Amino acid sequence: SPESPESPPSQRSKDLELMSHVLSASVGKKIYKRNFLKRVIWTCLEDSNSSYTAWWYGLSVNCLIVLSVLLSVYLVSFPGSGGYIAWVLDFSVDIVFAADLLVRLLSWPTLAKFFLNIYNIIDMSVLPSLFIRAAIPLLTPNDGVWSTILLCFFPVVRLLKLLRRVQTFQVLLSAWWAVFEALPMLIYVLTIIAMTFASLLFVFEPESNIPDWPTALWLTVVSMTGLGYGDLTPQTSEGKVFVSVLIVTSLLYLSIPFGILGSAFTLAWAQRSAVLAIRKLRKHLANHGFNSADVPKLLEHFDLNHDSEISLVEFRTMINDMMIGLSDREVIDLFECLDLRKEGRIGAPVFLAILFPRSYEENGFTDFTGVSHLISLPRTWSPASMTPKERLVV
């Protein structure tokens, strides 16, 4: 039977108890045509919270990455040490990384998106070290450019592989996206300040101290950031006054962008669970080939009672069927964030506005109450007139 307009906590508790008894909406009508084993492998590789096996595998790979980087640091610090054993260990690590990448390639939902994924690009950039080590074994730091690349460049790239599993890095990216619109104007004003004081220093300082305008700009930038290397200092009274005014002005001005970034990061960190859940859901939809046009069909498919909206039970069914590793508590928090009207139901416009904001704007769902104010910021929820759980950086 259809749900009542309001869903009190008791009703939510009953819905939670019913989760384990609801059959998948895709029974008899598979929503994916992909091989089930590939779906399981992809979920295990991409979502460390999906199962204990996935968690242990992710932890093992992380430890392997860190140990391989430490081994490279040791070999650079103590040239000639390690010998054949160190080469075998490094070569074995490269084989493990290559096998991991190959399995990802074979199990990836859409092949085209595989080569567009930034984390896969990082993984592929590690592959050349396997062929270099196979061709030139037993390298030491005295063996030339190839040794430098193997022992200095590739360890950094290996360390970047951890970004795939450091989920809180996405929170930092969300904070950057939140302040991105303000950065151009801030950088523009900062450029005007730098060029103005660089010109003044170039005019009033003697040529023996500031021979050209780039040198004046260098002194200006060093003074603005407060580094003060000491390689250049103003010699005239006018130059000292200009640098003093520049330092005070820069300290006051630079506090603005740092304050904006700090505020955005604080907000994103306070809502990190919902931010990560939103991103995880968006990633699963995109990697399985769903676009904005599929959202109404997707929700209709999981709408068990055919009321044009999905309830908490139906939402949980969809999460389970798509093999997204969210706990019951995370599913409830995510559902409450999506339920802007607080009626216990989610419609297609809200889903589209959050997961595909640009398509939402193009399709013009402006008549949906509580969602139209999201259009102005493609990746950020406006904090005005919203509860803390609704103020998401998506």
Side-chain angles (χ1 to χ4, degrees), residues 137-387:
L138 299 177
L139 291 176
T140 67
N142 299 321
D143 288 331
V145 62
W146 292 113
S147 175
T148 302
I149 293 175
L150 284 176
L151 298 179
C152 299
F153 172 74
F154 283 110
V156 177
V157 181
R158 283 180 177 178
L159 204 58
L160 291 176
K161 289 170 63 68
L162 291 175
L163 291 178
R164 184 192 292 273
R165 295 175 176 84
V166 181
Q167 296 184 353
T168 51
F169 179 72
Q170 301 297 330
V171 179
L172 179 61
L173 290 181
S174 300
W176 274 108
W177 277 113
V179 302
F180 186 76
E181 291 188 64
L183 287 181
M185 178 54 65
L186 295 174
I187 294 175
Y188 171 72
V189 176
L190 198 64
T191 303
I192 293 178
I193 295 175
M195 295 183 67
T196 300
F197 281 91
S199 300
L200 292 174
L201 290 174
F202 179 67
V203 171
F204 287 92
E205 285 293 308
E207 187 175 355
S208 59
N209 186 35
I210 306 294
D212 48 35
W213 192 84
T215 303
L217 182 62
W218 166 252
L219 176 58
T220 302
V221 173
V222 170
S223 301
M224 291 177 68
T225 56
L227 294 176
Y229 286 121
D231 55 339
L232 289 174
T233 57
Q235 296 181 353
T236 64
S237 299
E238 294 85 352
K240 293 178 181 179
V241 171
F242 291 145
V243 170
S244 300
V245 174
L246 174 63
I247 292 175
V248 175
T249 304
S250 301
L251 289 176
L252 294 175
Y253 181 78
L254 289 176
S255 63
I256 298 176
F258 287 125
I260 295 175
L261 180 60
S263 176
F265 181 78
T266 301
L267 178 63
W269 184 258
Q271 303 155 9
R272 59 189 179 276
S273 298
V275 170
L276 296 176
I278 289 287
R279 288 184 172 272
K280 183 183 292 188
L281 180 58
R282 181 188 293 137
K283 181 179 72 173
H284 276 258
L285 289 174
N287 283 331
H288 282 286
F290 288 103
N291 53 37
S292 57
D294 297 322
V295 170
K297 300 177 183 178
L298 180 66
L299 297 185
E300 181 183 359
H301 182 70
F302 288 97
D303 183 15
L304 302 180
N305 55 4
H306 307 290
D307 60 352
S308 300
E309 293 177 318
I310 58 174
S311 64
L312 177 60
V313 176
E314 295 163 343
F315 184 72
R316 178 57 173 170
T317 303
M318 182 181 70
I319 297 297
N320 279 338
D321 193 73
M322 297 183 66
M323 303 178 68
I324 303 176
L326 295 177
S327 64
D328 288 346
R329 184 68 262 172
E330 290 174 329
V331 171
I332 294 176
D333 290 341
L334 179 57
F335 183 86
E336 291 178 350
C337 291
L338 298 177
D339 182 18
L340 298 180
R341 298 177 301 181
K342 303 305 177 185
E343 296 181 354
R345 300 188 300 273
I346 302 175
V350 177
F351 223 71
L352 188 62
I354 296 175
L355 299 176
F356 303 95
R358 295 179 182 175
S359 299
Y360 174 85
E361 182 179 3
E362 294 173 358
N363 288 309
F365 289 100
T366 56
D367 59 339
F368 188 80
T369 305
V371 182
S372 58
H373 66 284
L374 303 177
I375 297 178
S376 58
L377 294 177
R379 288 183 172 268
T380 308
W381 289 76
S382 172
S385 303
M386 302 182 75
T387 65

